[in-house]
Amino acid sequence: MRRSLGWPAATTLVLLLTLTGFSTWLVKGTVDHQENRLLHERANEVALVLKEAVESLSSQLHTVGGVLRATDGDPKAFARSSAALVSASDGHDSIALLRRTPQGYRAALVSGAAIRRQQLVTGPVAETLAVASATNRMVATPVMGAGRDRTLGFAVGPPASPEGTVLYLQLTLGALGPPTGVGTSPFNELHVVLYDARRADPSTAVVATTDDLPLRGEVTSVPVDAGASVWTLQVSPAHPLVGGTTAQAPWIVLGAGVVMACLITLIVESETRRRRNALMLYRNERQLAEGLQRSLLPELPDLATLDVAARYLPGSADQQIGGDWYDVFALDGDRIGFAVGDVLGHDIEAAALMSRIQAALRAYAFVGHPPAAVLDHLDRLLISLDTERLVTVFFGILGPDDGTGRRELTFANAGHPAPMVHDRTTGVCDLDAVTSLLLGVVGGEVSRTQSSVVLTPGATLVLYTDGLVEVPGESLTDHVERLKQTLTANAGRCSPEQLCDLLLEATTKRPRRDDVAVLAARLVSSDVPATPLPRRVRLIALRRQ
C-alpha cells in the first residue's frame, strides 16, 4: 500500500528543495556574472587587435602616400613601398594610385592583379574614393562580391596621397566562415564576427569564425573604429570561459541538493514513522494500563453500618498506572477488612505485583489470620516471588458492633503512612502505634505486632498513600499537619464522598510525582442508614491543568 509523506517530511522536502533552488540560482548567477565579465574582457581584446590591424593598414597607406609625394609619383618607388601590402596574397590583393578625371577615378599606378592600370573605377569603390578625397581619414568600402570573390577596400586621400589622387587598397576576403586552423588561433574559445556596419546583418559580415550567423546565446557587441567608419564586433563563447567544471557548478549544486533533500526527507520520514509507531504503541500500552488499573481496584461493598468512599489519582496525565491500591471487604462474624498499600514503581510490573499482594491479603484474611499474621505471610510471599520491589501495607479488621455502635479496629502496619481517625469528640488522631518495616526488607524473619482502637458511631477512618502528603522539595511533616487540619475542619460535616474529593482537590494544584489512593469510611449507627454506593469502582481521573 502506497503511503504519502507525513507533514514533517513534506515540510522538510519543500524547505530543502527551496534552499536547493535558491543555492542553484545563486551559484548560476555568480557563474553567469563571471562568464559575462570574461566575455567582455575577451571581446575588448579582440576589438583592440582589430583596431590595431586597421590602424596598421592606415599607417601603411600613409607611408606609401608619403613616398609618392616625396618622389613625385615615381613608379619604382611606389612598387617598392607597396610591395609589403600585396606580396602576402600572391597578387590577389591590389594597391593603386587613382587620379581624379572628369569621367571618374582612373588607376595611374597599380601593384597587384586585382586592379588594371588605366582602369576606370565605378560602383561602391568610386563612392568610397569620393568620400576619401573629402576627408583626411581612411575610408572603407562595404563588403563586395560573394563567396570566394568577396573583397574589401580601404582608401586615403590628400594630404596622405598626392593632390588630386587617392590611394586605394583592395583586400580579398574569400568565403565567409571559419578560417583554417581556427582551433589553434589566439581566440579559438570565441565565436567572432565583424560587421562593416552598426547592425548585425549577416550580409555585412567582414569575417567570421563560425557559419552559424547571427550569433546566438550570450553575445557581446563592441564598436570598432575603421577609419571614418564604425564597424560592429560581436563575440560569443564557443565553450565556457570559466571552465567546464565551473560552468556545470549550478547543475552540480542542483543535483547534489536534490539528492540530499531526498535522503534527508527519507530520514525524517523514517524517524517520523518510527516516532508515530512508538506513540501508537505507547497509547495502546496506556489504554491497556488504564484498563488494568481499573480492573485491579476493588468494588466498594454496600454495608449497612458503614459509609465508604474511595478515590484513585494517577501520578501525572501521562502515567495512568501504579502500585497504589486500597481494599474494603466483608469477613465472617460481621467483621470488615480495610487495607491500603503501595508497591514501589509506576509500571505494569508494579500493578501486577500489587494485584497479587491484594489477592493474597484477602486470602490470608479469609482464612482467619489476624492483621499482624497477614502481613507476616505477605512478607514471606514477597520473598518467594524473588522481586526487588518493596511494598508498604496497612491492614486492619473492624470488629462487630458491641451493641452500642462501638466497634474495635485491630490493625498492623508495614511501613505505610499511618491512617487517621476523626472522632466527633476527641478530634483527629494517627494510627501509628505499631509501624514496622516494609515488606520484602528482611525476608519474613520479623514477626509484626498489632494494636487496636475503638471507633464510636460517626467516627471517620481515612487511609491514604504517600502521594497525598509528599510534595517534592517541601516538608512532609507540614503536609501531614495540613491533612489533619483539613480532617478536623471537614470530616464531621462532609460525607466520605465529599471528603475524598476535598482531599484530592489540593493535589491538583501542586507538583506531583506519585499516584494517590484515598479510602474514607464512616461508622453509622444501626438506626441511621449508610449512603448507598454503586457496586463498581469509584474513580475520578483528576488531571493537572
Side-chain angles (χ1 to χ4, degrees), residues 177-192 208-210 238-239:
T180 304
V182 67
T184 58
S185 63
F187 300 102
N188 63 83
E189 76 277 17
L190 302 173
H191 292 312
V192 178
T209 61
T210 177
H239 50 76

Side-chain angles (χ1 to χ4, degrees), residues 48-72:
L48 180 61
V49 172
L50 292 175
K51 183 179 180 181
E52 291 177 349
V54 171
E55 290 177 351
S56 177
L57 288 177
S58 176
S59 177
Q60 293 183 60
L61 286 175
H62 279 72
T63 300
V64 173
V67 171
L68 289 174
R69 290 196 309 272
T71 60
D72 197 19

Side-chain angles (χ1 to χ4, degrees), residues 66-138:
V67 171
L68 289 174
R69 290 196 309 272
T71 60
D72 197 19
D74 180 38
K76 292 183 179 180
F78 172 74
R80 288 194 300 270
S81 61
S82 62
L85 290 172
V86 299
S87 60
S89 64
D90 296 331
H92 294 91
D93 298 338
S94 292
I95 184 170
L97 178 68
L98 295 101
R99 295 186 183 277
R100 186 168 55 194
T101 67
Q103 296 80 19
Y105 287 91
R106 190 178 297 276
L109 298 175
V110 177
S111 179
I115 300 175
R116 301 185 306 277
R117 191 173 180 181
Q118 298 301 318
Q119 177 181 343
L120 184 64
V121 177
T122 58
V125 175
E127 296 174 2
T128 301
L129 297 178
V131 174
S133 298
T135 182
N136 59 359
R137 301 181 65 188
M138 186 176 69

Side-chain angles (χ1 to χ4, degrees), residues 523-541:
L523 272 66
V524 181
S525 301
S526 58
D527 56 344
V528 180
T531 303
L533 293 174
R535 298 189 62 82
R536 60 183 179 84
V537 178
R538 300 296 303 246
L539 296 174
I540 292 183

Side-chain angles (χ1 to χ4, degrees), residues 244-304:
T245 301
T246 304
Q248 296 301 317
W251 316 119
I252 294 174
V253 171
L254 178 61
V258 170
V259 171
M260 290 299 296
C262 292
L263 289 176
I264 294 176
T265 299
L266 289 177
I267 293 173
V268 171
E269 178 66 11
S270 175
E271 291 302 318
T272 301
R273 291 183 178 181
R274 183 180 301 175
R275 182 176 181 274
R276 187 185 304 124
N277 293 336
L279 288 175
M280 291 178 61
L281 179 60
Y282 168 75
R283 292 191 192 101
N284 292 336
E285 291 182 347
R286 177 176 171 179
Q287 292 174 358
L288 175 62
E290 291 176 353
L292 176 61
Q293 188 72 43
R294 285 192 295 269
S295 67
L296 294 179
L297 293 176
E299 296 180 349
L300 298 179
D302 291 336
L303 300 170

Side-chain angles (χ1 to χ4, degrees), residues 10 30 44 60 134 140 166-167 184 216 227 234 250 253-254 291 367 395 436 440 446 484 489 491 500 506:
T30 303
N44 289 330
Q60 293 183 60
V166 176
L167 272 173
T184 58
R216 296 175 178 82
Q234 282 198 337
V253 171
L254 178 61
V367 169
F395 177 53
S436 60
V446 176
K484 290 182 179 180
C500 286

